[in-house]
Amino acid sequence: MNNNNKKTKIRLEYAIYYQKANGTLTKKVHKISEKEYEANSTTQIIRKHSFRVVTTRIFYPGLHQVAVIINGNEFEKHNFELINKI
């Protein structure tokens, strides 16, 4: 939502805090977009993230976190649990 009375450039990202083997969390930032939004406008953004097994990252089951980042400012983290699907 752009509450300003003029066009504003906004960078949207999200951070996922991945569970590591030792139980700690490590942060990885993923870019959504960076563009100008019209004055007094609202935009709905839906984003999916794949946890498909790849060779460059191992996903450990357990607590993970996600947070939205707007113009470099990280907002409240939300917990989610990743489970093994057999």
Side-chain angles (χ1 to χ4, degrees), residues 61-78:
L63 176 73
H64 291 65
Q65 296 178 327
V66 63
V68 173
I69 303 170
I70 302 174
N71 290 340
N73 298 315
E74 185 173 310
F75 291 86
E76 183 179 353
K77 295 177 195 168
H78 295 276

Side-chain angles (χ1 to χ4, degrees), residues 31-45:
K31 184 176 177 181
I32 297 172
S33 71
E34 183 173 353
K35 68 178 194 173
E36 287 195 357
Y37 289 88
E38 294 296 326
N40 299 309
S41 66
T42 301
T43 303
Q44 181 178 3
I45 297 172

Side-chain angles (χ1 to χ4, degrees), residues 10 22 31 48 50 56 60 71 77 81 83:
I10 299 174
N22 65 5
K31 184 176 177 181
K48 292 182 181 180
S50 175
T56 57
Y60 295 98
N71 290 340
K77 295 177 195 168
E81 188 167 347
I83 56 174

